Each structure stands twice: as structure tokens, then as C-alpha cells.
């Protein structure tokens, strides 16, 4: 299996522009997670889906952030409009199902820089 | 609420010497605990996990961790460090009800030749 696939790997954009990050989970996994990693705040869970349904989006910073999972093999995280403080590494992870003992498998991340 | 505290932000060892990365957890029940490793510019990779079976958990690349309830600790160890072990290590607890991962702040392991 190719693992969790994220695109793009790097994104540089200007403040005010729309940014879309993409994720393909491991085939057969039912849960998908979006994380953000910054020096100041470490790794934070933004939102997670179970069977394509958003379960908890309490980590989404504000209305500028939105996430969708139209099918079991694809998810997007959109920032509109982007701001410099959104600069971070964004990780997508998937697991076979939700649960405390399930292992989450992480993608390589998207490094976002907003100028 | 569950939480983890990694006691050292930075650990430096010489190649061939033992590694000890310390982690304490806070939980009102028997938690699920994980150690993940992140190499520079890479994603996170699972090293090992504890899920209330054996208290000594063996992981990949020679790492192991011991769950000690009396000390609320889950320290990561390796008998002999390799240069390739240089990375960021995260101790993680899983929320009992949601399965959400709660990360420690990370420990940077430096391995000197």
C-alpha cells in the first residue's frame, strides 16, 4: 500500500488567497484526521471524519477553515482567505476505524507558507 | 482529561549509548499510549503502542517502552543509539471516548558520532 498520500507537499501563497490541501487515506480505512503542526502549539487535531462524516471539528481554528470528505478515498482542507498565521505543516492521518487503540497512519504532510 | 508530558525537550547521546526519553501521562483510567517518531521533513511513524496487554512493549528499530501505572510513566528506551535515530519523538495518549490523539510537546533526540 502507498500509505496516506497528501498533496501538495509544499505550498507558498500570498495572504488572502485560497488554499486547498488534499489527502488520500489508506484504502479500507474508515477514519480520517487532519492535524496542524507549528512550533508554538505543537501538533493539534483540527477535524476528524468517520465513514466520511465529520465527527468533531472543534479544533478548526475559525470559519476560514473548512474540510470535506466527499468519498472514502479523498478529503480536502480549505483555507479561505489564508493568513500568515496559518503557516504550518498540515498532516492527514487515517486509521482502520475510530477507537482508542487504533493506530493512526500519517501522511508526509503539506508545508504551507502564507506570505 | 487525558494528557502527556514529555520531560525533556532535547536529549543528546553518543552513538552506541543507551537512549531514554521520558514521558508521564495523566489519565483517570487505563490509557492507550503511543510513541511516534518524526524524522526531518517527514510524517509521523508509529514506534510502538500500549493497549493494556503486556506492560513492556517492543517496537520497531529496537525501541521499547514500559508502562508503569504506579509512576504514571511510559518512558521510551533503546539499548544502543544509531545515527539514524536522530529525530523528534512524540509521546501520545488516546482519548478514551473519542480516540483522538493527544500529543506531548516532543523530544528532539540528537545522536553524536
Amino acid at each position: 500500500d502507498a500509505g496516506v498520500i497528501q498533496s501538495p507537499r509544499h505550498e507558498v501563497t500570498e495572504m488572502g488567497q485560497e488554499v486547498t490541501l488534499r489527502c488520500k487515506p489508506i484504502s479500507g480505512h474508515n477514519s480520517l484526521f487532519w492535524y496542524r503542526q507549528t512550533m508554538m502549539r505543537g501538533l493539534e487535531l483540527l477535524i476528524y471524519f468517520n465513514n466520511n462524516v465529520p465527527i468533531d471539528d472543534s479544533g478548526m481554528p475559525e470559519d476560514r477553515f473548512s474540510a470535506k470528505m466527499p468519498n472514502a478515498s479523498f478529503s480536502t482542507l480549505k483555507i479561505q482567505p489564508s493568513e500568515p498565521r496559518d503557516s504550518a505543516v498540515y498532516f492527514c492521518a487515517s486509521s482502520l476505524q475510530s477507537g482508542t487503540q487504533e493506530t493512526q497512519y500519517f501522511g508526509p504532510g503539506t508545508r504551507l507558507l502564507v506570505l | 482529561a487525558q494528557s502527556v508530558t514529555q520531560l525533556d525537550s532535547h536529549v543528546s547521546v553518543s552513538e552506541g549509548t543507551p537512549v531514554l526519553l521520558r514521558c508521564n501521562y495523566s489519565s483517570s483510567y487505563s490509557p492507550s499510549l503511543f510513541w511516534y517518531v518524526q524524522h526531518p521533513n517527514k510524517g509521523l511513524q508509529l514506534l510502538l503502542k500500549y493497549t493494556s496487554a503486556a506492560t513492556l512493549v517492543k517496537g520497531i528499530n529496537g525501541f521499547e517502552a514500559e508502562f508503569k501505572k504506579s509512576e504514571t510513566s511510559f518512558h521510551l528506551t533503546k539499548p544502543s543509539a544509531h545515527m539514524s535515530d536522530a529525530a523528534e519523538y512524540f509521546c501520545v495518549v488516546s482519548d478514551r471516548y473519542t480516540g483522538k490523539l493527544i500529543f506531548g510537546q516532543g523530544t528532539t533526540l540528537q545522536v553524536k558520532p
Side-chain angles (χ1 to χ4, degrees):
Chain A
D1 197 314
V4 176
I5 299 173
Q6 291 187 247
S7 65
R9 293 293 309 275
H10 302 272
E11 177 81 29
V12 181
T13 190
E14 292 187 345
M15 182 174 63
Q17 297 298 306
E18 177 179 296
V19 176
T20 299
L21 312 181
R22 297 173 177 80
C23 175
K24 177 179 169 57
I26 293 173
S27 177
H29 281 192
N30 294 327
S31 296
L32 183 139
F33 307 80
W34 281 101
Y35 293 88
R36 178 171 67 175
Q37 185 179 35
T38 62
M39 290 292 292
M40 291 296 295
R41 299 174 68 89
L43 271 155
E44 305 173 279
L45 178 67
L46 300 177
I47 184 171
Y48 79 95
F49 296 82
N50 194 38
N51 293 321
N52 311 338
V53 176
I55 303 300
D56 185 348
D57 65 355
S58 59
M60 296 284 262
E62 48 198 273
D63 292 345
R64 297 185 298 107
F65 286 68
S66 63
K68 294 182 179 179
M69 192 165 186
N71 57 62
S73 60
F74 184 66
S75 177
T76 59
L77 177 67
K78 186 177 293 185
I79 309 172
Q80 167 63 19
S82 58
E83 297 182 2
R85 60 190 167 127
D86 301 330
S87 298
V89 182
Y90 292 81
F91 289 103
C92 176
S94 70
S95 65
L96 195 58
Q97 55 188 322
S98 62
T100 61
Q101 301 186 2
E102 290 297 324
T103 297
Q104 293 185 22
Y105 296 86
F106 284 75
T110 295
R111 190 173 298 272
L112 173 65
L113 177 61
V114 183
L115 301 174
Chain B
Q2 299 82 46
S3 66
V4 289
T5 302
Q6 292 183 243
L7 302 176
D8 306 292
S9 60
H10 187 97
V11 171
S12 181
V13 301
S14 297
E15 190 176 20
T17 64
V19 176
L20 170 64
L21 304 183
R22 299 182 295 165
C23 173
N24 286 353
Y25 69 90
S26 174
S27 178
S28 57
Y29 57 90
S30 183
S32 293
L33 293 161
F34 307 77
W35 276 99
Y36 279 84
V37 61
Q38 183 180 26
H39 287 92
N41 300 316
K42 301 287 187 182
L44 284 82
Q45 181 184 20
L46 180 71
L47 279 177
L48 50 82
K49 69 178 181 180
Y50 167 77
T51 56
S52 74
T55 56
L56 183 62
V57 183
K58 294 188 183 299
I60 62 171
N61 300 335
F63 284 95
E64 61 182 39
E66 186 171 7
F67 176 76
K68 291 187 176 180
K69 186 176 180 179
S70 60
E71 299 177 9
T72 62
S73 68
F74 190 57
H75 300 337
L76 182 70
T77 61
K78 182 173 180 177
S80 175
H82 295 164
M83 296 298 292
S84 60
D85 294 328
E88 186 88 5
Y89 291 80
F90 293 93
C91 182
V92 185
V93 65
S94 178
D95 182 89
R96 177 184 191 183
Y97 299 103
T98 66
K100 291 165 61 171
L101 297 185
I102 301 162
F103 286 80
Q105 285 301 104
T107 298
T108 301
L109 175 64
Q110 179 187 22
V111 182
K112 297 178 290 187

